[in-house]
Amino acid sequence: TTPGQSLLAVLLTMPAWLCIGGATALAGDALGFSLNVGQVIAATCYSWLAGFLLVPTPGGLGVREAAFIGLFPGTTEEAAAIAVTARVLFIVIDLLGAATMTLLARLSPGTRR
């Protein structure tokens, strides 16, 4: 991989990282916390990176939350509540996406059942 390819990969995935961080900030806002959205997005991105780098934990389970708590500028309680809420929301969204795609695959013509 060349440096240019790496830079291109980072640029192409930037919208996804911003959406993940924004969703986490929305979760914190829904919980009633006063947040600096930029700091939440930064903490979220770094915590997801930590989850990816520590391979022994499936899906970064626990690693992302611990990293987020350590990086979040608010209280530990606020950070833990946001991290757990965001994790649950992402799991629910993943399950809904999988169920939707399974249903669409079963309903599409030419698909073996």
Side-chain angles (χ1 to χ4, degrees):
T1 304
T2 68
Q5 289 171 322
S6 296
L7 180 60
L8 180 62
V10 168
L11 291 175
L12 290 174
T13 59
M14 192 66 71
W17 288 104
L18 292 174
C19 287
I20 291 168
T24 302
L26 286 172
D29 186 60
L31 292 171
F33 300 127
S34 177
L35 306 169
N36 177 311
V37 174
Q39 290 176 328
V40 174
I41 290 173
T44 300
C45 292
Y46 286 123
S47 67
W48 275 67
L49 180 61
F52 288 141
L53 294 177
L54 292 171
V55 177
T57 61
L61 190 59
V63 173
R64 282 194 337 223
E65 291 77 13
F68 185 84
I69 290 167
L71 294 166
F72 185 74
T75 68
T76 301
E77 291 80 10
E78 290 174 343
I82 294 168
V84 170
T85 300
R87 172 68 80 162
V88 169
L89 290 173
F90 284 120
I91 290 170
V92 168
I93 290 166
D94 285 345
L95 290 172
L96 288 172
T100 301
M101 295 312 295
T102 300
L103 179 63
L104 290 174
R106 288 179 187 240
L107 294 175
S108 87
T111 303
R112 293 178 65 191
R113 293 186 183 139

